[in-house]
Amino acid sequence: MKHDFYDVKNRKKVKAEVTEFKTYGKGTQKRYAFRAKTSDGRPLTAFVSKDKWEAAKGK
């Protein structure tokens, strides 16, 4: 699955393949994120809604 990420180093949006579904925090402070890597190996993170995260993880 591809998703739009913001590449901070290049200061532009990039479309990358999601490699990991990650959660941060616990309890009511939980945040949901997609993780990916750029072509040169740098990590990318995009925070998404719980609904979008669960829908993508179910595929």
Side-chain angles (χ1 to χ4, degrees):
M1 172 185 126
K2 292 218 180 238
H3 187 72
D4 288 329
F5 293 87
Y6 184 75
D7 187 346
V8 176
K9 183 176 179 181
N10 293 330
R11 296 183 181 156
K12 64 180 180 177
K13 282 190 174 185
V14 295
K15 191 171 277 282
E17 188 70 30
V18 174
T19 58
E20 185 179 359
F21 300 94
K22 189 137 172 110
T23 59
Y24 295 93
K26 55 186 171 183
T28 59
Q29 300 292 321
K30 192 175 274 192
R31 296 182 73 192
Y32 300 89
F34 294 152
R35 300 281 309 221
K37 291 200 180 270
T38 60
S39 57
D40 58 349
R42 289 180 290 109
L44 299 169
T45 304
F47 290 98
V48 296
S49 69
K50 181 179 180 180
D51 294 335
K52 188 176 247 185
W53 187 84
E54 287 176 344
K57 190 158 172 89
K59 289 184 178 179

